[in-house]
Amino acid sequence: MATNSKKRRNKIARQKLRMRDALWPKLDEATLWSRERFDGWLSVPRPMPLLMRIMDSLSKGKPVSSTYLDLWCRTYDDSFIIANKDREMAFFSGFTGERAVRTWTMRMRTLKDLGFIDIKDGPNGPISYVLIFDPYAVVLQLHEDSKVNESLFNSLTQRMIEIGAQDISEPPKEQQAKSRSTGNRRSNRKPTT
């Protein structure tokens, strides 16, 4: 099944390149950013813009998505951040001025309260270490708790079907039983996008 999925992606990639070349026949590829040529890239779920919109819809008028995206961009696909530059992190999240770090701290607490991240105390203060949880699993749990707008959740489901992701489909029965027995309704599913 993985081979069919890879063939499908390769076919789509070839079709998109043909279309791009038809629209921009004189394109100099050196003007494009390519992860094959440059360092500084990471894995991002394709529905990230929609996941961010869902986060913002849950944060009561105090958007958290730019803070979350900055966190995501600081990982090395390990879901872990050493938060030793709070002023810089606040700035990259869009906060400036005297209250920048305070505002960033509040957004971090909101992300933690929503379940998207966990925070640990350490040498850099109350927010020294950050763990990012699987955003699909968090959104699924929030949806099960009737906290996510149905339209947004359905849009996420549609997008995931379009890209072939199965992250929010029902986990296997043994995983459900294990989650119930430990009192943790979130699963340990890994993103597939």
Side-chain angles (χ1 to χ4, degrees):
M1 186 166 169
T3 304
N4 288 339
S5 178
K6 187 174 182 179
K7 284 181 184 177
R8 181 175 170 259
R9 282 194 306 267
N10 288 337
K11 180 180 178 185
I12 291 169
R14 285 192 306 273
Q15 289 172 342
K16 286 182 69 180
L17 278 176
R18 281 199 308 269
M19 185 67 186
R20 186 190 76 184
D21 292 345
L23 292 169
W24 288 277
K26 297 179 182 179
L27 177 67
D28 177 2
E29 290 209 20
T31 63
L32 306 177
W33 186 86
S34 168
R35 72 181 197 181
E36 284 83 23
R37 291 186 310 157
F38 301 108
D39 289 333
W41 61 273
L42 64 132
S43 301
V44 177
R46 291 184 187 275
M48 183 63 91
L50 188 51
L51 289 165
M52 292 168 58
R53 184 167 174 208
I54 290 169
M55 289 172 202
D56 286 344
S57 76
L58 297 167
S59 62
K60 299 180 175 129
K62 296 182 178 179
V64 295
S65 59
S66 62
T67 302
Y68 184 83
L69 184 60
D70 179 59
L71 292 173
W72 194 281
C73 291
R74 289 176 185 273
T75 69
Y76 288 89
D77 286 339
D78 57 6
S79 300
F80 176 69
I81 299 104
I82 298 173
N84 58 358
K85 299 177 181 177
D86 58 356
R87 183 160 297 284
E88 176 186 283
M89 294 172 83
F91 182 81
F92 282 24
S93 297
F95 309 118
T96 58
E98 292 179 21
R99 299 180 58 181
V101 173
R102 180 176 174 200
T103 304
W104 173 80
T105 300
M106 291 169 45
R107 297 306 197 275
M108 292 289 288
R109 296 271 178 224
T110 301
L111 285 167
K112 181 182 187 305
D113 292 345
L114 290 171
F116 287 100
I117 64 172
D118 196 19
I119 298 167
K120 294 291 183 185
D121 196 356
N124 301 306
I127 303 176
S128 288
Y129 307 105
V130 182
L131 183 67
I132 300 177
F133 294 115
D134 176 350
Y136 293 125
V138 175
V139 168
L140 178 60
Q141 181 61 56
L142 291 166
H143 179 259
E144 288 174 0
D145 294 342
S146 300
K147 293 180 180 175
V148 175
N149 173 289
E150 195 69 24
S151 174
L152 290 174
F153 186 79
N154 291 341
S155 299
L156 178 63
T157 302
Q158 176 185 340
R159 180 67 177 130
M160 294 180 73
I161 290 169
E162 289 170 357
I163 63 174
Q166 299 175 359
D167 302 73
I168 60 173
S169 61
E170 285 299 310
K173 297 276 186 212
E174 59 274 4
Q175 193 171 6
Q176 288 178 354
K178 182 180 178 184
S179 293
R180 277 191 225 109
S181 68
T182 61
N184 179 7
R185 293 173 60 188
R186 278 193 205 120
S187 72
N188 292 323
R189 288 170 288 197
K190 302 279 186 210
T192 58
T193 59

